[in-house]
Amino acid sequence: MTELNDLLPTTAELVRLRAVAAGHEAPDLIVRGGLVQSPGTHEWLERDVLIAGRHIATLTPWGHVAQAAKEIDAGGCHVVPGFIDAHLHIEYTNLTPGELARLSVARGTTTVLTDPNGAANVWGAAGMDFLLQTRTPLHVFQQVSPTTPGSFDLELGGAVIPEETVLSRLHDDVTLTLGESNPFDYGEVSTARFREALVAGRRITGHTAAQTGESLWGYLAAGVSDDHNAATIDEVLERTRLGAMVTVMGSSLTDNTVPLFADLDAIAPALPSLCFCADDKHALDLTTQGHIDHHVRQAIRFGIDPQQAYRMATTQPAAYYRLDQVLGLLAPSRLADLQIIPDLAEVRPSTVIVAGAIVAQGGTALFRNTDQIPAWTTDTMRLPDVLPEDLFRVAAPEGAASVQVRAMAMYNGYFKRAFTATLPVAGGAVAADPAQDVLKIAVVDRHHGDALTGIGFVRGFGLRRGAIAITMNCPNMNISVVGADDESMRLAVEELGRMGGGYVTVADGEVLARVPLPVGGMMSAAPFEETAAALANGHAVTAGLGCPISSPYIILSFVGLYVVPDLGLTERGLIDAVSQQFVDVLLPGPVDNCGHVHDEEPR
């Protein structure tokens, strides 16, 4: 676990750092002859970096110190701090922290701020701790998940984390922020939580869900201090003009670097208030696109000055999240977390150093992942031995040949636009209609053993036949399944039970692709290369069934998210995101409750 105080120099280390900086002792390592990113000015400095133990002693002019125990030639290269991911859900990488480190540290991302809300919903507080721990050279800081489950009224969820546990964690030394919260919750409990974060000196991570005007103002007035949802220049300017930091998201759901950097003149006033995050990016995209290095490449490709692009990945998030006394800049007494970049535009480090140790070269990690996976993390599927035959049935009014339903259309990644669809009735039940790309979607409880199911309809997945299913419905990590017919949906859910969690694609009574994620039904401890390959196969097979979405599994994770307009879905039913109330699937009125029970006490 990354305790912030443990990264600061000890008294003995400070004594040595001062001796090395003053020229009384030789450094352990010199990174020599590079152009160093200035910690306090927008300059590339002709400096050598002197390192003593874990920390930087000082920066000197080239050749000022004759020798050290070890030297690295950075001639012709630039030397920059390790990159910081300002908001990441490690669960959605589909990798355990150690495997994420093997992948991302070699690409220059050495620090992540993670909101472990998926782990919290599956395992409770123990799961949050699990995602903060790794023996690998990756710094993992906590963004405390604010509510688990997200709502006692709208979902059953899995684990329950008491409010006092959340408040206590805000004071932990591993904590940097309060995690993202429901922007439509104005309750006393959430407001008191914001207050506690402010008292603890923590930033408050925002999830503004495309709000504007009074709705946005009311959210930020709680002390919310950043936002990773801003997807247009107008949204960025509105937020930064109110003092918020915008963490530009480049995820597997949507890549906001494209719309935000397309007009540099328009976004220029906000550049000092931007940093980067991956948010929800799976192992395949991390492997092929990169992590925070992808953001920097994009920024430079669109014409942002490289000095500014690299500062948005290093010094700006370090300053905003109050890390700059420890890391994020190349300055005396800071951790020696740095990378040597041969080509600024390519953003591919030849050498990565973390806490004074060389940990990666040529894009390959020099360390092994030796993290232990506790047995309790792999036993998380609770389903009936036999699923009910009518699990996905939506009863139609007697004698109806067709019905109108509330449905949601996917757009801009994980946002959903409500619309009305007319669907056929077969055997007295509402059927999906692949011809108009309106498929049935369901969220099935996997925590309590009763397979309680909420059902809706969705456009955008394009399946002509078959189904896909996952064990990662956000945020409660239940099963989410979308399909062209009930039989395929049932087979997909059954296969997830047999697998112990993960992703699956089925059609015509056969399982066509599997991505096993046995650690909590969210992650794999297998080498990241294997997980990425399984994802590539699953995506290709799903595309063969007609799906146009490049990353269908992770998009499916967010169809149910009920804090993002217009609609959401839990195991209890269909939800209007703005009113935070259940609505019925069938129109015009309450014909079928589709899984939710209005007077049922939450478990």
Side-chain angles (χ1 to χ4, degrees):
M1 189 175 293
T2 307
E3 297 284 349
L4 196 60
N5 285 336
D6 290 345
L7 300 182
L8 292 167
T10 63
T11 301
E13 286 174 321
L14 282 173
V15 168
R16 178 127 196 281
L17 286 170
R18 298 184 71 187
V20 170
H24 303 312
E25 294 184 17
D28 298 318
L29 173 64
I30 298 178
V31 178
R32 194 184 291 281
L35 294 172
V36 175
Q37 179 180 308
S38 170
T41 63
H42 283 244
E43 300 176 279
W44 296 109
L45 305 175
E46 295 181 351
R47 296 291 187 270
D48 294 336
V49 183
L50 275 57
I51 298 171
R54 300 183 300 158
H55 299 87
I56 296 171
T58 194
L59 311 178
T60 68
W62 287 348
H64 181 77
V65 174
Q67 61 183 13
K70 186 178 181 64
E71 297 186 6
I72 298 176
D73 182 8
C77 300
H78 291 76
V79 183
V80 302
F83 296 141
I84 299 170
D85 185 334
H87 177 65
L88 176 72
H89 300 283
I90 291 178
E91 303 96 316
Y92 284 95
T93 70
N94 300 138
L95 303 174
T96 55
E99 281 308 300
L100 173 63
R102 271 208 324 118
L103 194 166
S104 290
V105 168
R107 290 160 171 79
T109 299
T110 56
T111 299
V112 299
L113 282 59
T114 188
D115 181 343
N117 61 3
N121 274 272
V122 174
W123 299 305
M128 299 170 73
D129 288 338
F130 173 70
L131 282 197
L132 298 175
Q133 299 181 41
T134 179
R135 300 175 184 174
T136 60
L138 176 69
H139 307 307
V140 183
F141 293 103
Q142 179 175 220
Q143 298 179 308
V144 179
S145 303
T147 51
T148 308
S151 168
F152 285 101
D153 297 321
L154 301 178
E155 59 179 300
L156 296 181
V160 175
I161 296 182
E163 183 68 16
E164 55 266 28
T165 300
V166 174
L167 300 180
S168 173
R169 280 178 172 263
L170 289 170
H171 297 270
D172 289 348
D173 197 39
V174 72
T175 298
L176 293 185
T177 83
L178 175 65
E180 56 186 318
S181 58
N182 184 342
F184 306 107
D185 181 356
Y186 277 67
E188 183 177 343
V189 172
S190 64
T191 302
R193 192 183 309 126
F194 292 141
R195 157 73 178 172
E196 189 70 22
L198 297 173
V199 169
R202 308 307 184 197
R203 296 292 190 184
I204 302 175
T205 294
H207 178 100
T208 64
Q211 293 178 100
T212 189
E214 286 88 348
S215 181
L216 175 68
W217 305 341
Y219 189 39
L220 297 186
V224 174
S225 52
D226 71 29
D227 176 40
H228 58 276
N229 287 152
T232 69
I233 292 175
D234 286 344
E235 288 177 350
V236 169
L237 292 175
E238 185 179 14
R239 286 150 177 75
T240 55
R241 285 167 175 163
L242 288 167
M245 170 69 80
V246 169
T247 54
V248 179
M249 181 172 68
S251 74
S252 295
L253 305 173
T254 186
D255 187 353
N256 289 337
T257 64
V258 177
L260 296 186
F261 296 148
D263 186 344
L264 295 188
D265 289 338
I267 202 169
L271 292 181
S273 296
L274 302 186
C275 61
F276 299 135
C277 76
D279 193 12
D280 304 293
K281 195 166 190 177
H282 56 64
L284 178 58
D285 283 349
L286 288 168
T287 302
T288 57
Q289 294 179 359
H291 198 155
I292 300 302
D293 53 311
H294 166 74
H295 294 72
V296 179
R297 267 192 300 278
Q298 287 284 82
I300 295 173
R301 181 172 73 87
F302 279 101
I304 292 177
D305 179 73
Q307 173 73 230
Q308 180 65 57
Y310 278 88
R311 296 182 79 81
M312 288 192 287
T314 56
T315 57
Q316 288 180 194
Y320 196 76
Y321 294 102
R322 299 166 177 151
L323 280 168
D324 51 333
Q325 190 58 50
V326 179
L327 51 80
L329 63 163
L330 304 180
S333 82
R334 274 58 167 198
L335 272 179
D337 289 1
L338 58 89
Q339 47 185 324
I340 299 173
I341 307 289
D343 185 319
L344 282 178
E346 286 295 317
V347 203
R348 303 189 191 281
S350 59
T351 300
V352 179
I353 295 172
V354 174
I358 300 171
V359 298
Q361 288 184 318
T364 301
L366 301 180
F367 57 90
R368 295 174 57 242
N369 172 22
T370 60
D371 294 347
Q372 299 297 309
I373 305 301
W376 55 265
T377 67
T378 61
D379 180 22
T380 63
M381 296 293 293
R382 304 288 182 268
L383 289 171
D385 293 336
V386 179
L387 295 177
E389 291 290 339
D390 61 350
L391 187 62
F392 304 115
R393 179 181 174 85
V394 177
E398 186 174 354
S402 64
V403 296
Q404 284 193 316
V405 301
R406 285 186 179 92
M408 41 191 164
M410 307 304 300
Y411 75 99
N412 192 24
Y414 61 95
F415 287 89
K416 292 95 63 180
R417 185 175 290 111
F419 72 102
T420 298
T422 301
L423 295 178
V425 172
V430 183
D433 189 357
Q436 58 171 320
D437 186 22
V438 179
L439 304 177
K440 188 175 288 185
I441 182 168
V443 172
V444 182
D445 173 76
R446 72 167 174 107
H447 300 298
H448 303 287
D450 56 6
L452 182 67
T453 300
I455 303 172
F457 294 90
V458 64
R459 170 174 288 160
F461 283 88
L463 296 177
R464 295 185 298 269
R465 56 194 176 88
I468 62 174
I470 62 173
T471 48
M472 291 188 68
N473 181 63
C474 181
N476 58 29
M477 298 294 113
N478 274 318
I479 292 170
S480 185
V481 54
V482 61
D485 64 89
D486 292 5
E487 292 76 15
S488 293
M489 294 172 69
R490 179 187 172 91
L491 172 61
V493 173
E494 290 173 338
E495 182 61 21
L496 288 176
R498 289 187 285 267
M499 289 168 53
Y503 303 154
V504 64
T505 299
V506 307
D508 304 323
E510 296 184 15
V511 178
L512 304 181
R514 299 176 179 85
V515 183
L517 302 173
V519 182
M522 303 174 288
M523 296 168 286
S524 172
F528 74 80
E529 297 90 344
E530 293 182 16
T531 303
L535 280 166
N537 178 64
H539 292 170
V541 167
T542 306
L545 298 178
C547 182
I549 301 172
S550 59
S551 295
Y553 300 127
I554 197 167
I555 293 292
L556 179 56
S557 300
F558 290 88
V559 178
L561 186 60
Y562 55 83
V563 297
V564 174
D566 289 328
L567 298 171
L569 184 68
T570 72
E571 65 278 22
R572 298 188 69 193
L574 191 66
I575 297 164
D576 176 87
V578 174
S579 70
Q580 293 290 284
Q581 298 291 321
F582 288 113
V583 293
D584 290 283
V585 173
L586 299 189
L587 293 172
V591 179
D592 185 287
N593 65 22
C594 300
H596 67 269
V597 180
H598 294 280
D599 59 356
E600 179 179 324
E601 289 297 321
R603 301 181 190 183

